[in-house]
Amino acid sequence: MPSGLPRAPRRRFVRHPLAQAAVLAGLAFAAVPPALAQAPAPAAGLQVDIPAGTLDQVLNRFAARAGFMITIDAALTAGKSSPGLAGRYGVADGLAAILAGSGLQAVGQDGGGWLLRAAPPQAPAVVQASAAALPALTATANQLGEVTEGSGHYTPGAIATATRLVLKPRETPQTVSVVTRQEMDDFGLTTIDEVMAHTPGVSIVTYDTERTEYFARGFAIQNFQYDGIPMRRDSSYSAGNTLSDMAIYDRVEVLKGATGLLTGSGEPGATINLIRKKPTREFQGQASLGLGSWSDLRGQVDVGGAIDEAGRVRARGVAAYQHKDSQLDGHKRKTAVLYGVVEADLTPSTLLTVGADLQNNDPTRSTWGGIPIFKADGSFNDRPRSFNNGADWSHWDQYTRTVFATVEHFFDNDWVLKAQFNHQINGYDAELGSAASGFPDPLNGSGVSTWEGKYVGKTVADALDLYASGPFQLLGRRHELVAGGSLSKRRWTNRGYWAGSTEIADYDAWNGRLPEPDWDALTPSRNRETTRENGLYGAVRWNLRDDLKLISGARVLNYDGPDIDESGVVVPYLGVVYDLDKRVSLYASGTTIFMPQSAQTEAGKTLDPQEGRNLEAGVKAEFFGGRLNASAAVFHLKQDNYAEATGGLTPGGGTAYRAIDGVGTKGFELELSGQLAPNWQLHAGYSHKVSRQDGEKVSTLTPENQFSLYGSWKPAAVPGLTLGGGTRWQDKTWGDVSHPTRGTVRHEVDGYWVVDAMASYRFSPRLTGRLNVTNLFDKKYYTIFSWYSTYSWGEARAVALNLDYRF
């Protein structure tokens, strides 16, 4: 294959018949322990007599009667009712009474007014402004940070990706970009490719129909996490990571820079952390149906509810199916997703979570590589966007299977002990044929030959992580500590069949008809590689002053893999955050990463591990009680033993590399996410980077400058209507590719803008319709993959209509 390839007050829960039916069908459901019971009316306050109605009606009537403002996301209150409110109440007491048992929480804002949001487990229904700082609101039982589902915002609450310490974005001394559930829902982001296109500072290079590669700060992103558990991706033998469906995820976090403290080995550019959806407090259900361009048909069901009356066992299940053609002739893909998760309170202080997910991606007429860049006369090989180089039998099936379990114990002294296990299988079954090699003759269509190969394999990965986290006192101040260890084992097996190539008589008449090789007659090559990693890590957040925090930590790792065995490698972490005031902080951090690699020289020697370092400094700010976050950062990454292609081959016929030192990337990033004004959400970013080695630019397949802006607005004059849109831009890219007459040449790709638009309307508290248009102005653009000397067209204008019903 070509390279590149705690217990709550007891009250009665209603077990909904739909929830029971779904449990019997094998889907998981959930509900979090009930909130505080309705508080009695205080002796003093405002006399009110508000009749029963929908929850948002009762809240708005109480707000108007008491003279305060409350921000309500209709999606949170949809389908919820209230018996009304009668008696003498203060504002906080009245809100607590109205919201009792709703699973929602009113949070006082520093600038006045209240914000309605989903309540964390066991949280009170009302939090006063003085206590409304995000850390007090993010005590989620899974310790992964704050759930974004139901928040209505394009910015996260607390996150734990960088150090396992649950911190606000402003308290985290690294850049973290997050695409929330609300942003995904508004813009119909159903795939990880679409999410990455919305993520500031991340660029996408297309290899072929089933493979994309993400880049950040000049380096490919091969580090993936699932609920914080690291898993490594091999882009050459792609097996599901970049085809992940978003139906089962609450948010996607992208931690920029080196992340060796938690991941151990990996690339220095970024880590993608996908956080799964969690069980909900009350019964909920959602069914959606979508129809779009190229016969895009998608259905999704998401159901959750309490299993027992006491609510000690809670669970959730998600199923999604999509069948979509594409702009390429003959190319289709079927995607099926199932997810189930169950939570159980083993004791009042011990939580068990178990779950599983699977995804199948079944395409037809997959491409392998893209379109040759040049014709035989050296001119650009301009093919229509519908051109498909794949044979009619070509397919690259990919699948994932995951089982996970977590046990968390909460001590009375605010310490948490957590153990998490993850078993994941990523597999592929690829029979590939493509007309992608050579230079077509513009006169007679000759000069192009095929690649034909079959590859069947999988990676089975097991990972275990155990840590303790909590506060401690030293020199009269309260500090925070996290200490733990992890181990993982990855086993990759592969069978490869290379059938050679076939000359195409007339490339201009190519329609995919190609005899399929007799794979059984071929002798396969076999791969069997096992990689083991283990390590101990720890970090302390030192509270030096009320306005000054220092995070220091390290990981000591051992790595045993093909051609490399390293022990006692120390990966340090250091970060400092200084608060200028309650909203603005300065920060700086230094991190490293260690990356063994399989790249070989022309003599067949495996290159030494890459070693990456990341220095970053900047300013972060939060406004409106954390509903709006902003950051500006400068960074400097340096990587030694960077693998650079030599143009030659290894003894085994693969691409040969040499190790070069001093590859450095400098740049800056700006990002803004959250609520700019009532009913206005925004996510925008600008990034600039330059990568050099000995003064020469490298990593040029990714743009030096990128900009993205996406937002949504709910006009007060038209209740239920949401309008949105956005754009992304990148400047030119280039790469060294093969030319028919001049050997290796530099090929430039022009920069481009892509504009998207959306509109949704809530017909009733339960039914919402949404229209999304991607590439609104039908911009024609492409990306190149220099290793293959091929290019791939970006997707043309597409329209999608979705109906969502909540029950």
Side-chain angles (χ1 to χ4, degrees):
M1 178 176 294
S3 179
L5 285 173
R7 180 175 300 172
R10 180 183 178 92
R11 75 174 178 85
R12 181 177 181 82
F13 273 74
V14 178
R15 288 175 289 182
H16 197 283
L18 284 175
Q20 293 178 322
V23 169
L24 292 176
L27 294 177
F29 303 93
V32 180
L36 300 176
Q38 178 170 316
L46 180 72
Q47 183 67 39
V48 294
D49 188 8
I50 300 173
T54 63
L55 183 58
D56 54 356
Q57 287 175 336
V58 174
L59 285 169
N60 282 320
R61 288 169 181 168
F62 180 58
R65 180 72 177 87
F68 66 91
M69 296 185 65
I70 183 168
T71 302
I72 300 174
D73 184 347
L76 293 175
T77 58
K80 296 181 182 293
S81 61
S82 170
L85 189 67
R88 185 172 295 275
Y89 287 86
V91 171
D93 299 304
L95 287 171
I98 296 172
L99 295 174
S102 69
L104 304 178
Q105 181 183 65
V107 182
Q109 303 301 295
D110 290 337
W114 299 81
L115 171 69
L116 193 67
R117 61 184 293 158
Q122 303 187 33
V126 173
V127 177
Q128 298 284 0
S130 60
L134 283 176
L137 300 177
T138 58
T140 55
N142 53 51
Q143 298 296 298
L144 294 174
E146 188 170 0
V147 172
T148 69
E149 186 181 26
S151 70
H153 296 305
Y154 287 9
T155 198
I159 51 180
T161 300
T163 62
R164 299 227 189 282
L165 295 170
V166 182
L167 304 173
K168 293 186 293 182
R170 186 166 65 91
E171 299 171 327
T172 304
Q174 278 183 266
T175 299
V176 185
S177 300
V178 180
V179 177
T180 67
R181 185 71 252 171
Q182 188 63 52
E183 187 173 353
M184 286 190 275
D185 288 345
D186 283 350
F187 288 94
L189 310 181
T190 61
T191 69
I192 191 171
D193 272 359
E194 294 165 341
V195 169
M196 290 300 103
H198 274 237
T199 304
V202 175
S203 59
I204 305 174
V205 173
T206 299
Y207 292 177
D208 33 48
T209 53
E210 317 309 326
R211 285 187 301 172
T212 53
E213 189 88 280
Y214 312 132
F215 290 81
R217 298 185 175 181
F219 297 93
I221 304 176
Q222 302 286 11
N223 305 323
F224 282 72
Q225 294 183 11
Y226 299 87
D227 285 350
I229 296 296
M231 293 290 165
R232 180 89 177 150
R233 183 210 179 200
D234 183 349
S235 57
S236 297
Y237 297 86
S238 196
N241 302 88
T242 60
L243 294 178
S244 296
D245 192 279
M246 293 295 101
I248 72 174
Y249 296 108
D250 172 77
R251 64 191 181 277
V252 179
E253 305 172 348
V254 180
L255 175 63
K256 308 291 182 59
T259 58
L261 179 65
L262 297 183
T263 62
S265 62
E267 301 286 350
T271 292
I272 298 172
N273 189 15
L274 294 91
I275 306 296
R276 298 180 182 96
K277 290 179 176 178
K278 307 306 173 189
T280 54
R281 177 183 297 271
E282 303 287 349
F283 169 80
Q284 68 167 21
Q286 176 184 357
S288 62
L289 182 64
L291 180 65
S293 302
W294 302 301
S295 302
D296 183 6
L297 180 63
R298 178 182 176 88
Q300 181 175 321
V301 178
D302 184 341
V303 185
I307 294 178
D308 66 332
E309 291 188 5
R312 294 190 180 96
V313 181
R314 311 164 297 276
R316 184 173 189 168
V318 181
Y321 181 80
Q322 185 170 10
H323 182 285
K324 182 181 180 180
D325 296 355
S326 79
Q327 68 183 17
L328 275 66
D329 293 335
H331 179 255
K332 304 177 181 180
R333 186 188 297 144
K334 300 176 182 178
T335 302
V337 182
L338 287 173
Y339 169 59
V341 60
V342 179
E343 287 185 348
D345 296 328
L346 301 181
T347 73
S349 301
T350 306
L351 175 68
L352 171 67
T353 303
V354 295
D357 62 68
L358 67 85
Q359 179 170 334
N360 292 334
N361 306 289
D362 300 320
T364 59
R365 202 176 170 191
S366 301
T367 66
W368 193 12
I371 304 169
I373 296 174
F374 296 113
K375 295 181 181 179
D377 62 1
S379 62
F380 180 66
N381 181 28
D382 190 0
R383 295 286 154 174
R385 286 189 284 193
S386 61
F387 181 80
N388 186 336
N389 75 15
D392 51 11
W393 45 264
S394 185
H395 67 93
W396 192 329
D397 302 348
Q398 300 178 44
Y399 62 90
T400 61
R401 305 285 188 270
T402 308
V403 178
F404 59 93
T406 302
V407 178
E408 299 157 89
H409 184 77
F410 301 84
F411 296 91
D412 293 337
N413 58 0
D414 293 333
W415 274 74
V416 178
L417 179 65
K418 177 178 178 179
Q420 185 169 354
F421 172 75
N422 200 84
H423 173 77
Q424 188 173 79
I425 301 173
N426 291 78
Y428 53 89
D429 183 349
E431 297 177 341
L432 300 169
S434 68
S437 178
F439 308 100
D441 190 309
L443 299 179
N444 59 24
S446 64
V448 174
S449 61
T450 63
W451 296 324
E452 299 172 38
K454 176 179 178 178
Y455 304 89
V456 181
K458 63 182 178 180
T459 297
V460 179
D462 293 296
L464 177 65
D465 187 85
L466 173 65
Y467 74 90
S469 178
F472 67 95
Q473 294 287 333
L474 183 65
L475 301 178
R477 303 193 71 87
R478 179 183 172 100
H479 315 277
E480 297 168 74
L481 167 69
V482 58
S486 63
L487 58 86
S488 67
K489 176 183 176 181
R490 299 189 301 273
R491 186 182 63 177
W492 172 54
T493 56
N494 175 68
R495 300 193 317 275
Y497 306 78
W498 176 247
S501 61
T502 302
E503 294 291 330
I504 303 302
D506 186 357
Y507 182 70
D508 295 325
W510 170 259
N511 58 9
R513 294 180 181 174
L514 180 74
E516 184 174 2
D518 182 2
W519 306 113
D520 293 335
L522 301 176
T523 300
S525 61
R526 297 182 182 273
N527 304 88
R528 183 180 298 271
E529 296 180 0
T530 300
T531 301
R532 293 178 173 86
E533 288 188 66
N534 62 77
L536 300 175
Y537 61 88
V540 182
R541 184 170 183 250
W542 302 99
N543 183 9
L544 304 181
R545 298 188 343 184
D546 290 346
D547 59 357
L548 181 62
K549 306 295 187 293
L550 173 69
I551 301 177
S552 62
R555 181 183 188 93
V556 180
L557 68 90
N558 305 310
Y559 186 97
D560 181 11
D563 302 317
I564 186 170
D565 186 353
E566 296 276 351
S567 299
V569 178
V570 178
V571 180
Y573 183 96
L574 188 66
V576 61
V577 179
Y578 175 67
D579 297 335
L580 296 177
D581 56 30
K582 292 183 178 180
R583 293 180 175 86
V584 181
S585 300
L586 303 176
Y587 77 92
S589 65
T591 62
T592 66
I593 207 160
F594 165 85
M595 184 61 240
Q597 52 188 334
S598 60
Q600 294 182 343
T601 67
E602 293 180 12
K605 182 181 182 299
T606 301
L607 301 185
D608 291 336
Q610 299 178 27
E611 296 180 359
R613 300 182 294 278
N614 177 71
L615 300 177
E616 181 175 332
V619 57
K620 292 188 177 185
E622 64 177 21
F623 307 97
F624 314 126
R627 284 174 288 162
L628 179 66
N629 286 287
S631 66
V634 295
F635 58 84
H636 181 196
L637 277 72
K638 181 137 182 223
Q639 181 135 2
D640 292 335
N641 295 326
Y642 181 82
E644 180 182 68
T646 65
L649 298 176
T650 68
T655 302
Y657 299 86
R658 60 174 171 264
I660 59 176
D661 290 345
V663 175
T665 302
K666 296 181 179 180
F668 64 87
E669 292 181 330
L670 309 173
E671 186 167 352
L672 182 69
S673 65
Q675 181 175 307
L676 283 178
N679 298 325
W680 185 10
Q681 296 291 324
L682 185 73
H683 192 185
Y686 179 85
S687 66
H688 167 79
K689 63 86 181 171
V690 177
S691 299
R692 297 181 184 272
Q693 197 270 333
D694 292 338
E696 295 294 325
K697 292 184 178 180
V698 296
S699 190
T700 56
L701 288 182
T702 61
E704 293 184 351
N705 298 282
Q706 290 178 260
F707 171 76
S708 63
L709 185 152
Y710 292 91
S712 65
W713 173 58
K714 298 180 179 181
V718 188
L721 177 65
T722 301
L723 300 174
T727 184
R728 64 184 185 274
W729 166 82
Q730 68 174 53
D731 65 354
K732 69 178 182 180
T733 60
W734 64 91
D736 293 334
V737 301
S738 296
H739 190 274
T741 62
R742 294 188 290 150
T744 299
V745 300
R746 168 172 154 170
H747 180 73
E748 289 191 359
V749 180
D750 293 337
Y752 58 86
W753 289 87
V754 175
V755 177
D756 302 330
M758 62 81 63
S760 70
Y761 186 75
R762 182 165 50 87
F763 297 100
S764 72
R766 299 186 182 275
L767 181 64
T768 300
R770 186 186 72 246
L771 177 69
N772 293 97
V773 184
T774 56
N775 197 358
L776 178 66
F777 301 115
D778 201 26
K779 175 65 178 179
K780 193 174 183 180
Y781 66 96
Y782 66 91
T783 63
I784 66 171
F785 184 37
S786 59
W787 288 357
Y788 291 177
S789 296
T790 61
Y791 75 94
S792 298
W793 289 113
E795 191 171 272
R797 182 194 295 119
V799 180
L801 178 65
N802 186 82
L803 289 176
D804 181 274
Y805 183 77
R806 297 177 184 269
F807 49 88

